[in-house]
């Protein structure tokens, strides 16, 4: 088996050093604003060369995260960052935007690209879609389980990267619009505000379901797959990825060292299982509770705890009794003076009591050192904790361990290699000539030749021997090297001063390190990303499209003057009925694919074809590949979920067989206008009315809270009997709907309208406009269609449309403003 790569996060220099010192094979990091963790310190473009030189000195690869969408007016700046990464010898760019993939390949055919998990790559077909762009690595969705991973690995030679530790996103990466919709901070732009970590009420069939202290319905535990290392390797995983660019360097040191050990033990052929102490140390650095995520399959009960949304650390036990100056606890984990603790009453939204442990006692007698079990009196710092606010039954968590932090810091406070790199040396010499030494760095393959500055003299007492030279050249303490082997060829008895041997050794080491730090070279071409905007012809007789989610809506739309109907049903097995209804009404109809495509789900895509629609609304890279790789008659429309945000992405998807494109919802009005000015607008479809689909998640709220089962095989299908909504802190009800794959979509409570911008779009030649329905009845469907038809025909203002419907006046996820040019 090929060795796997351990990939560590770095949000700053300290974390970078912590990763290298603890055995990471590669590090990923962001540069300035163009990455999915803009709140991390990140690195400056000017630092790239230094970062890569430092990493390459220790034979560690460095990957720059460019895992966000790029808007039209940012392409020139994006090009400069790509060129800077190429010049600095970065080992790869981690990319989400397909337009950026196209740009990189135009600039350099050999610069490595890694497909980010933000691409939502979850099937063999999605990997196959990316093959023409020669991606070096593909990062699979966190929702892929071990069976999926194995199936994907069997069908591709592209190395697969999988997250193994850290925070889990409840929504599919690249498919979450909540943060920007509610707070103007886009997850697709690295600014996620973590709306999934907020409390929600569960509203079932219009009534609140009482669930005690369970309020964080969308906040998953943290991923910890250290015990699955052998299974992941054998499933075909090439890279183990650790999440955490916003976390501390101590966290990085801790997690990297633990997974380094697990991987090394596997390849050494030893049956390794992490100890309880190792798991506790991982929990101590950061933990909302550990889970395998989806790696062992979907288990909704284990994924979400629901009682707290933030890191807790190590569970110590519960309060048995509150004393005057202490609490009595039956300890379940080690505790000592100086450790941080917090008392958890199950109401994390309220201020919690916490502080440092001042003393530990047993039956009133002070205990020295660490205590691991038994009834213990925990004495907090005098001014840290108000014990009147602590109650019997409160859970106690160990939130910090200063001793552990000190131990972890020692690993990276001084610069030292995780391991020494072997050198082989050959020396030769003859009387009256310089001593010649050739040094070979076995790890990198580099070789250097260093000659003595003094000539070899005749030796009368102690001539040079291979053992003597090996002893002198082997004095490599304080360097990153160790001398593995030395061979020597001497003609006669020769001598050279020891100071000259030492100089040669130092020079050889310096040259080898310099070679390691030389930037990797790639081909680089000059590319222009600005385009000449062509005059647009105003759209005449624009098409109005109605996306319906029930048969009632389909039948209502069939009695209006819409030009096209889309069916987007929870159960695609009902699609033939929709097609039949549209045919009878003489309306063309498109059927929507699921937003996610997993291994083994081609039957769903095949069933859509079998229903014989006029067009297909395609929502995933896997579905694009499936349909474009075969001869079909249907028109293919790429939906918003493909995250098309610039003209390069439009060109790419049109060239791959799509007939029309729906731009990403991340575009505000000005960004949409910028895009439309740069693309053939007859190929663009704009959604101008909808309930925004915010979270799209493998986590099923119905199964978790309305069933005794754990997944779709044993949940009893409560989604077929009930309607669920999530009520947020301001009282808005957000509907939760299920698709055929049992994935949940949480829709925004209020529909929104882009009707105000219809004149701008028409002037730019856009002919296709979509309105989407969610729970509307037949009368509402007819009313909405009439209003938008009148607006398209100039009989009604866009403002009157959204005001009549009491909708939010905005396009996509942010309001935005038009800038006069």
């Amino acid at each position: 088996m090929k060795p796997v790569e351990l990939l560590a996060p770095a949000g700053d220099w300290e974390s970078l050093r912590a990763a290298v010192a603890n055995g990471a094979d590669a590090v990923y990091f962001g540069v300035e604003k163009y990455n999915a963790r803009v709140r991390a310190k990140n690195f400056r473009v000017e630092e790239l060369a230094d970062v890569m030189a430092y990493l390459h000195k220790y034979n560690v690869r460095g990957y720059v995260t460019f895992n966000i969408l790029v808007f039209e007016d940012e392409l020139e700046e994006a090009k400069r960052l790509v060129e800077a990464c190429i010049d600095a010898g970065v080992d790869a760019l981690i990319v989400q935007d397909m337009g950026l993939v196209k740009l990189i390949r135009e600039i350099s055919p050999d610069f490595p690209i890694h497909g980010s998990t933000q691409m939502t790559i979850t099937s063999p077909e999605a990997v196959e879609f990316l093959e023409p762009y020669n991606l070096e690595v593909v990062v699979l969705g966190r929702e892929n389980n071990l069976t999926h991973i194995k199936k994907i690995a069997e069908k591709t030679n592209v190395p697969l990267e999988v997250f193994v530790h850290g925070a889990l996103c409840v929504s599919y990466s690249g498919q979450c619009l909540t943060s920007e919709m509610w707070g103007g901070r886009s997850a697709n732009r690295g600014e996620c505000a973590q709306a999934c970590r907020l409390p929600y009420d569960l509203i079932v069939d219009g009534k609140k379901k009482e669930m005690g202290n369970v309020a964080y319905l969308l906040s998953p535990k943290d991923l910890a797959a250290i015990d699955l290392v052998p299974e992941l390797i054998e499933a075909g995983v090439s890279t183990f990825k650790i999440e955490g660019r916003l976390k501390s360097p101590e966290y990085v040191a801790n997690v990297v060292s633990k997974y380094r050990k697990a991987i090394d033990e596997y390849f050494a052929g030893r049956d390794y299982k992490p100890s309880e102490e190792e798991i506790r140390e991982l929990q101590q650095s950061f933990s909302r509770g550990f889970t395998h995520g989806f790696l062992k399959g979907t288990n909704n009960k284990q994924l979400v705890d629901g009682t707290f949304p933030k890191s807790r650390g190590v569970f110590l036990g519960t309060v048995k009794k509150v004393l005057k100056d202490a609490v009595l606890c039956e300890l379940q984990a080690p505790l000592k003076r100086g450790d941080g603790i917090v008392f958890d009453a199950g109401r994390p939204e309220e201020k919690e009591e916490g502080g440092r442990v001042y003393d530990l006692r047993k039956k009133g007698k002070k205990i020295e050192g660490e205590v691991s079990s038994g009834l213990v009196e925990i004495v907090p710092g005098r001014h840290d904790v108000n014990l009147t606010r602590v109650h019997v039954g409160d859970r106690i968590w160990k939130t910090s361990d200063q001793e552990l932090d000190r131990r972890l810091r020692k690993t990276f406070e001084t610069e030292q290699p995780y391991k020494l790199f072997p050198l082989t040396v050959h020396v030769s010499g003859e009387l009256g000539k310089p001593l010649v030494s050739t040094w070979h760095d076995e790890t990198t393959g580099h070789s250097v030749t260093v000659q003595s500055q003094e000539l070899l003299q005749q030796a009368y007492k102690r001539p040079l021997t291979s053992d003597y030279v090996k002893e002198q050249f082997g004095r490599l303490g304080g360097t990153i090297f160790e001398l593995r082997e030395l061979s020597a060829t001497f003609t006669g008895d020769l001598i050279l001063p020891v100071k000259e041997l030492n100089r040669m050794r130092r020079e050889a080491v310096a040259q080898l390190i310099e070679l390691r730090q030389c930037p990797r070279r790639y081909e680089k071409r000059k590319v222009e990303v600005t385009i000449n905007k062509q005059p647009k012809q105003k759209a005449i007789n624009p098409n109005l499209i109605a996306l319906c989610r029930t048969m009632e809506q389909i039948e209502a739309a069939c009695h209006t003057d819409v030009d096209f109907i889309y069916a987007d049903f929870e159960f695609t097995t009902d699609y033939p009925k929709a097609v039949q209804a549209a045919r009878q009404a003489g309306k063309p109809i498109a059927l929507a694919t699921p937003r996610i495509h997993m291994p083994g789900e081609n039957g769903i895509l095949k069933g859509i074809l079998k229903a014989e629609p006029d067009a297909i609304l395609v929502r995933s890279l896997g579905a694009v590949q499936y349909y474009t790789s075969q001869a079909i008659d249907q028109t293919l429309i790429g939906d918003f979920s493909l995250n098309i945000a610039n003209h390069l992405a439009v060109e790419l998807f049109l060239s791959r067989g799509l007939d029309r494109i729906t731009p990403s919802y991340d575009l505000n009005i000005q960004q949409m206008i910028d895009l439309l000015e740069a693309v053939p607008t007859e190929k663009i479809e704009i959604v101008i009315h909808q309930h925004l689909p915010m979270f799209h998640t493998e986590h099923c709220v119905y199964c978790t809270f309305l069933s005794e089962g754990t997944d779709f095989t044993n949940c009893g299908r409560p989604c077929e009997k009930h309607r669920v909504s999530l009520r947020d802190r301001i009282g808005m009800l957000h509907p939760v709907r299920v698709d055929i794959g049992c994935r949940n979509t949480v829709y925004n409570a209020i529909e929104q309208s882009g009707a105000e911008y219809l004149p701008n779009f028409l002037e730019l030649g856009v002919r296709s406009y979509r309105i989407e329905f969610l729970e509307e009845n037949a009368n509402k469907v007819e009313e909405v269609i009439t209003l938008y038809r009148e607006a398209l025909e100039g009989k009604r203002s866009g403002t009157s449309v959204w005001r009549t419907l009491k909708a939010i006046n905005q396009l996509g996820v942010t309001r935005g403003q038009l800038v006069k040019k």
Side-chain angles (χ1 to χ4, degrees), residues 55-224:
L55 291 174
H56 287 167
K57 175 181 177 181
Y58 294 102
N59 199 43
V60 174
R61 292 172 289 281
Y63 307 140
V64 169
T65 54
F66 205 154
N67 49 347
I68 61 167
L69 300 185
V70 182
F71 300 136
E72 196 65 33
D73 64 347
E74 296 171 333
L75 286 172
E76 188 64 43
E77 193 173 353
K79 184 187 80 167
R80 287 196 293 271
L81 179 53
V82 170
E83 291 171 338
C85 289
I86 292 173
D87 292 340
V90 168
D91 292 295
L93 271 173
I94 304 173
V95 177
Q96 172 187 13
D97 193 307
M98 288 304 302
L100 184 58
V101 170
K102 186 174 188 292
L103 175 61
I104 295 169
R105 276 293 159 261
E106 289 174 354
I107 296 172
S108 174
D110 62 347
F111 183 62
I113 304 172
H114 292 187
S116 169
T117 190
Q118 293 284 117
M119 282 186 175
T120 325
I121 304 164
T122 54
S123 69
E125 288 77 13
V127 178
E128 187 180 350
F129 177 85
L130 297 168
E131 282 184 3
Y133 314 105
N134 298 317
L135 268 64
E136 189 174 76
V137 172
V138 165
V139 188
L140 296 180
R142 291 175 175 93
E143 294 77 7
N144 281 121
N145 60 43
L146 281 160
T147 301
H148 295 153
I149 294 167
K150 188 174 182 179
K151 288 180 178 177
I152 295 170
E154 288 171 349
K155 294 185 177 182
T156 182
N157 292 320
V158 179
L160 303 178
E161 184 175 306
V162 169
F163 280 91
V164 294
H165 196 95
L168 281 169
C169 296
V170 74
S171 184
Y172 275 88
S173 296
Q175 301 298 320
C176 184
L177 300 165
T178 320
S179 178
E180 188 164 9
M181 179 65 208
W182 291 350
R185 292 169 52 182
S186 170
N188 280 328
R189 298 280 293 173
E191 299 174 312
C192 177
Q194 296 193 316
C196 54
R197 305 295 181 189
L198 298 175
Y200 298 93
D201 291 328
L202 187 69
I203 308 301
V204 182
D205 300 328
K207 296 180 180 178
K208 179 183 175 182
K209 180 177 172 61
E210 295 299 333
M211 296 191 296
N213 63 350
V214 175
Y216 298 88
L217 311 184
L218 299 177
S219 181
K221 299 176 187 176
D222 287 349
L223 175 64

Side-chain angles (χ1 to χ4, degrees), residues 241-441:
K241 188 170 195 171
I242 296 166
E243 181 275 339
R245 282 192 288 136
L246 288 169
K247 296 191 174 81
S248 70
E250 290 84 359
Y251 163 91
V252 173
N254 192 4
V255 180
V256 169
S257 63
K258 300 291 192 296
Y259 280 84
R260 177 78 275 153
K261 179 180 178 181
I263 293 168
D264 290 348
E265 289 291 293
Y266 174 85
F267 282 104
R270 292 186 282 269
D271 186 16
Y272 167 73
K273 183 179 180 182
S275 67
E276 290 183 9
E277 181 184 3
E278 287 170 325
I279 295 299
R280 279 197 301 267
E281 288 186 356
L282 286 173
Q283 291 172 333
Q284 196 63 74
S285 281
F286 197 96
S287 168
R288 298 179 180 92
F290 282 161
T291 171
H292 287 145
F294 296 99
L295 289 171
K296 295 291 281 185
T298 300
N299 188 320
N300 290 289
K301 303 293 188 186
Q302 292 182 0
L303 186 72
V304 171
D305 176 272
T307 60
F308 56 88
K310 55 189 176 184
S311 176
R312 281 310 202 204
V314 176
F315 179 64
L316 292 172
T318 58
V319 176
K320 301 294 183 184
K321 188 176 181 180
V322 181
L323 307 175
K324 183 179 179 181
D325 64 342
V327 297
L328 189 65
C329 173
E330 182 84 38
L331 277 186
Q332 298 182 27
L335 187 66
K336 58 188 175 299
R337 290 188 66 184
D339 287 345
I341 58 171
V342 69
F343 295 94
D344 175 6
R347 297 183 295 275
E349 69 278 4
E350 299 178 8
K351 182 181 181 299
E352 295 179 322
E353 293 298 320
R356 298 220 168 265
V357 175
Y358 182 72
D359 266 325
L360 295 171
R361 303 189 302 234
K362 276 196 176 182
K363 295 182 180 180
K365 293 184 178 180
K366 189 174 177 180
I367 308 169
E368 296 297 334
E370 189 174 75
V371 186
S372 299
S373 60
L375 277 171
V376 176
E377 297 168 18
I378 303 173
V379 184
R382 188 173 300 172
H383 302 293
D384 286 355
V385 176
N386 180 356
L387 288 175
T388 64
R389 298 187 72 245
V390 177
H391 308 91
V392 172
D394 286 358
R395 291 183 289 181
I396 310 174
W397 300 87
K398 181 177 168 182
T399 56
S400 66
D401 184 329
Q402 292 177 318
E403 187 177 297
L404 173 63
D405 285 346
R406 281 194 293 268
R407 172 158 58 86
L408 293 169
R409 285 200 72 83
K410 282 183 181 179
T411 66
F412 60 88
E413 277 184 329
T414 57
E415 193 169 316
Q416 54 187 346
Y418 174 73
K419 61 181 178 182
L420 296 174
F421 300 103
L423 297 176
T424 56
V425 181
H426 178 72
V427 294
S428 62
E430 55 184 283
L431 186 64
K433 293 186 178 180
L435 180 69
V436 179
S437 64
T438 301
W439 301 67
H440 182 68
D441 182 343

Side-chain angles (χ1 to χ4, degrees), residues 32-49:
E32 297 177 1
K33 66 179 181 179
Y34 288 121
N35 72 94
R37 291 291 184 274
V38 294
R39 287 186 294 125
K41 289 183 182 177
N42 292 313
F43 296 84
R44 302 188 311 276
V45 173
E46 298 78 35
E47 293 180 282
L48 265 177

